[in-house]
């Protein structure tokens, strides 16, 4: 069953990432783009986990965790930059 | 692989990707920034969380030992999603983004 | 200087290390305990003060309630997203806060973002008012009331030790 379910989920997630990219291109303002990027990296993380299930390989966990950590830090950094013009208070 | 494990993994995967898709759809079609904020913070977080838990069940069966480290990603996402949403909302309020006409009440600043 | 300043944090860090390595081997356990001992010592001055938990059982029930509400919130958002965006009635609501402790306030704002219909959008500089954005509501004041009775009151009860 999994050999059918995983490609289906990849299609759904791919559509989600496409919608995020459209919002990223469309804007219209800076916070919208940041939000789109934030969602995009979370969906990309899910895609990597799915790929790990597809290949039945444990190695993708570290990549997913790193993306989660880096994505959060960069979202907060960009938001701070929008708020104050600098990153460290 | 026993049927019921496969069933659990498949259900979690489908549920997760449908929620992720709904979050992205919300991001795409809702009218202004603050309403768009709702989709990703809620739907995408739970969606990705359940995909990661599906991976946990799958690898626990496959390696024969409990593989709990995927739980870290889920917990991390649930801690960080509200924080980044809050930061982005503050940035948006400071930039005075346009609001939907029907919004009751006013943002600060 | 105390030898073990934060025993709970030590246990938490050890568990985190074991989870990260996905093993319960004895060597990793020792390394985890060592890290859990050293990190609080080195980072001592940067750590937030966490108020003591008085009612652990109530905390567990509260966590279950939050989990249930997160699922409800997702179904709620899904229904609104798939419906017509023109019918949405978004609102900004100000909620006065009774909580003074920073840590509990952080928890409450996070919960407000994860539960049905609301995202926390701002906190006033004196920590007295929370600004919420509601996705779809008739009566914004009811949403504020619900946040106060459903989440703020139990949180205050869990972390308030003086009354018992």
């Amino acid at each position: 069953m999994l050999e059918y379910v995983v490609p289906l989920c990849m299609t759904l997630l791919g559509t989600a990432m496409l919608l995020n990219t459209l919002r990223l291109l469309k804007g219209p303002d800076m916070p919208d783009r940041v939000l789109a990027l934030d969602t995009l990296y979370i969906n990309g993380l899910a895609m990597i986990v799915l790929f790990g299930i597809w290949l039945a390989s444990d190695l993708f966990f570290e990549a997913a965790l790193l993306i989660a950590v880096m994505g959060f830090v960069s979202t907060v950094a960009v938001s701070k930059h929008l708020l104050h013009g600098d990153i460290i208070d | 692989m026993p049927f019921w494990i496969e069933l659990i993994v498949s259900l979690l995967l489908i549920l997760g990707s449908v929620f992720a898709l709904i979050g992205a759809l919300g991001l795409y079609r809702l009218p202004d920034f603050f309403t768009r904020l709702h989709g990703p913070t809620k739907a995408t977080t739970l969606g990705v969380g359940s995909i990661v838990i599906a991976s946990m069940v799958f690898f626990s069966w496959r390696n024969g030992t409990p593989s709990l480290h995927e739980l870290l990603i889920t917990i991390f996402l649930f801690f960080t999603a509200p924080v980044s949403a809050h930061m982005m909302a503050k940035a948006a309020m400071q930039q005075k983004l346009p609001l939907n006409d029907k919004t009751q009440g006013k943002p600060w600043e | 200087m105390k030898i073990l300043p934060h025993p709970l944090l030590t246990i938490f860090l050890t568990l985190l290390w074991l989870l990260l390595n996905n093993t319960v081997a004895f060597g990793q356990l020792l390394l985890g305990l060592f890290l859990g001992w050293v990190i609080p010592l080195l980072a001592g001055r940067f750590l937030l003060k966490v108020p003591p938990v008085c009612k652990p059982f109530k905390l567990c029930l509260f966590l279950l309630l939050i989990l249930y509400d997160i699922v409800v919130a997702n179904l709620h958002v899904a229904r609104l997203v798939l419906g017509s965006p023109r019918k949405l009635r978004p609102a900004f609501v100000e909620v006065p806060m009774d909580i003074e402790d920073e840590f509990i306030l952080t928890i409450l704002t996070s919960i407000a973002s994860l539960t049905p219909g609301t995202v926390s959008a701002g906190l006033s500089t004196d920590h007295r008012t929370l600004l919420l954005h509601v996705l779809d509501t008739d009566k914004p004041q009811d949403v504020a009331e619900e946040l106060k009775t459903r989440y703020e009151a139990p949180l205050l009860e869990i972390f308030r030790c003086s009354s018992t």
Side-chain angles (χ1 to χ4, degrees):
Chain A
M1 187 158 51
L2 270 183
E3 60 267 35
Y4 300 111
V5 169
V6 173
L8 174 71
C9 292
M10 281 184 172
T11 320
L12 290 176
L13 270 179
T15 321
M17 287 172 84
L18 196 69
L19 286 173
N20 293 335
T21 317
L22 281 178
R23 175 53 72 191
L24 179 66
L25 293 176
K26 220 161 120 180
D29 293 291
M30 231 8 228
D32 286 290
R33 292 176 207 267
V34 180
L35 181 61
L37 261 184
D38 186 68
T39 320
L40 191 60
Y41 90 75
I42 295 183
N43 283 339
L45 181 157
M47 198 66 131
I48 284 182
V49 172
L50 259 181
F51 200 62
I53 295 181
W54 180 241
L55 292 182
S57 156
D58 236 345
L59 288 174
F60 292 90
F61 162 75
E62 272 81 10
L65 191 65
L66 276 181
I67 290 181
V69 175
M70 289 294 163
F72 169 64
V73 171
S74 51
T75 305
V76 170
V78 177
S79 305
K80 276 253 173 201
H81 179 73
L82 288 178
L83 262 177
H84 304 294
D86 57 6
I87 293 169
I88 299 166
D89 275 334
Chain B
M1 180 179 269
F3 179 72
W4 59 277
I5 287 185
E6 216 170 334
L7 191 70
I8 292 176
V9 173
S10 309
L11 279 181
L12 279 173
L13 282 181
I14 290 180
L15 194 78
S17 18
V18 166
F19 270 124
L21 183 59
I22 287 174
L25 206 63
L27 179 71
Y28 183 69
R29 70 189 286 231
L30 290 182
D32 68 348
F33 175 79
F34 290 96
T35 50
R36 273 176 222 144
L37 199 54
H38 285 263
T41 44
K42 298 197 185 76
T44 306
T45 309
L46 188 78
V48 176
S50 61
I51 287 180
V52 171
I53 286 175
S55 137
M56 191 173 96
V57 175
F58 178 80
F59 283 113
S60 292
W61 175 82
R62 197 177 161 276
N63 299 341
T65 54
S67 152
L68 293 178
H69 62 178
E70 280 92 345
L71 213 56
L72 277 178
I73 300 181
T74 317
I75 295 173
F76 186 80
L77 278 182
F78 272 105
F79 278 151
T80 56
V83 178
S84 44
H86 189 89
M87 294 298 298
M88 283 186 280
K90 270 174 85 173
M93 283 199 301
Q94 207 221 15
Q95 304 228 327
K96 298 192 178 63
L97 290 196
L99 293 174
N100 192 4
D101 307 333
K102 271 182 255 166
T103 307
Q104 311 156 46
K106 270 198 191 112
W108 290 339
E109 285 166 312
Chain C
M1 202 159 83
K2 279 157 79 181
I3 297 172
L4 202 65
H6 303 276
L8 273 179
L9 187 63
T10 305
I11 295 172
F12 177 72
L13 284 174
T14 312
L15 277 180
L16 207 64
W17 179 257
L18 289 180
L19 264 182
L20 202 57
N21 282 296
N22 212 6
T23 168
V24 279
F26 183 67
Q28 296 287 357
L29 183 66
L30 275 187
L31 191 53
L33 278 174
F34 174 73
L35 284 175
W37 173 59
V38 166
I39 292 175
L41 274 186
L42 292 179
R45 266 180 294 167
F46 303 110
L47 294 176
L48 257 178
K49 275 211 183 81
V50 179
V53 178
C54 301
K55 293 173 180 161
F57 180 67
K58 212 153 200 162
L59 183 69
C60 293
L61 279 185
F62 188 65
L63 284 181
L64 283 182
L65 175 80
I66 300 295
L67 220 58
Y68 171 75
D69 278 353
I70 288 174
V71 177
V72 171
N74 277 282
L75 297 176
H76 178 84
V77 167
R79 203 173 36 117
L80 290 178
V81 165
L82 296 178
S84 160
R86 293 215 173 70
K87 280 193 202 143
L88 288 182
R89 290 152 301 178
F92 280 101
V93 192
E94 286 182 8
V95 190
M97 289 279 110
D98 294 330
I99 297 177
E100 280 166 9
D101 187 89
E102 279 186 6
F103 180 74
I104 310 178
L105 211 52
T106 316
I107 293 183
L108 187 69
T109 44
S110 303
I111 289 173
S113 291
L114 284 175
T115 47
T118 53
V119 164
S120 65
L123 191 62
S124 63
T125 39
D126 59 351
H127 292 189
R128 286 277 165 207
T129 326
L130 180 70
L131 184 68
L132 286 180
H133 183 264
V134 192
L135 184 54
D136 182 44
T137 179
D138 272 338
K139 303 181 189 106
Q141 279 315 313
D142 287 7
V143 180
E145 277 303 308
E146 204 198 337
L147 181 87
K148 282 188 88 71
T149 52
R150 200 177 167 94
Y151 307 114
E152 191 185 12
L155 266 180
L156 273 176
E157 199 181 335
I158 286 166
F159 285 101
R160 188 183 288 151
C161 290
S162 53
S163 58
T164 48

